[in-house]
Amino acid sequence: MPLTYKQKFNKKYKQPLNKSNSLSDISRLTGFKKSGLQTIYNKGTGAFKTAGPSRPNMNIQSWSYGRVYAAVNPSSKAYKIDKKHLIKK
């Protein structure tokens, strides 16, 4: 089974694979401003509310964090869309 974006993030930053990170944690580890990560999180929340999840086991928070984890991964589609919000500290 392929790794999720959260697991890829945790592997890259030497965290336990299934560890949940706060926006502050992600900011500290990546060097991106928390405000930009919050904007991406909010976009994930909006997408969840308008389209609903394509996976029934997801809730609004996991959907939004998934968007953030994907956005900080340069090989993802989300990175291409959200990179304008990823500002180094």
Side-chain angles (χ1 to χ4, degrees):
M1 184 172 204
L3 295 176
T4 65
Y5 283 114
K6 175 175 137 178
Q7 291 169 331
K8 289 177 184 180
F9 176 89
N10 285 333
K11 184 176 179 181
K12 179 177 180 177
Y13 292 100
K14 299 178 177 30
Q15 307 288 315
L17 277 187
N18 291 316
K19 179 184 186 295
S20 294
N21 297 283
S22 66
L23 292 179
S24 295
D25 294 336
I26 296 169
S27 174
R28 179 179 46 81
L29 291 167
T30 62
F32 293 125
K33 288 185 177 183
K34 184 179 172 187
S35 60
L37 298 175
Q38 183 69 56
T39 299
I40 296 166
Y41 180 92
N42 293 345
K43 286 175 72 174
T45 299
F48 183 94
K49 287 179 179 177
T50 58
S54 60
R55 296 186 182 150
N57 294 338
M58 293 188 83
N59 60 36
I60 197 165
Q61 185 177 15
S62 60
W63 184 276
S64 300
Y65 269 105
R67 174 92 180 229
V68 173
Y69 284 121
V72 297
N73 183 325
S75 65
S76 75
K77 290 180 187 176
Y79 175 80
K80 293 170 183 68
I81 294 166
D82 293 327
K83 66 182 176 184
K84 63 182 168 268
H85 304 296
L86 297 174
I87 302 158
K88 287 289 187 178
K89 295 180 190 179

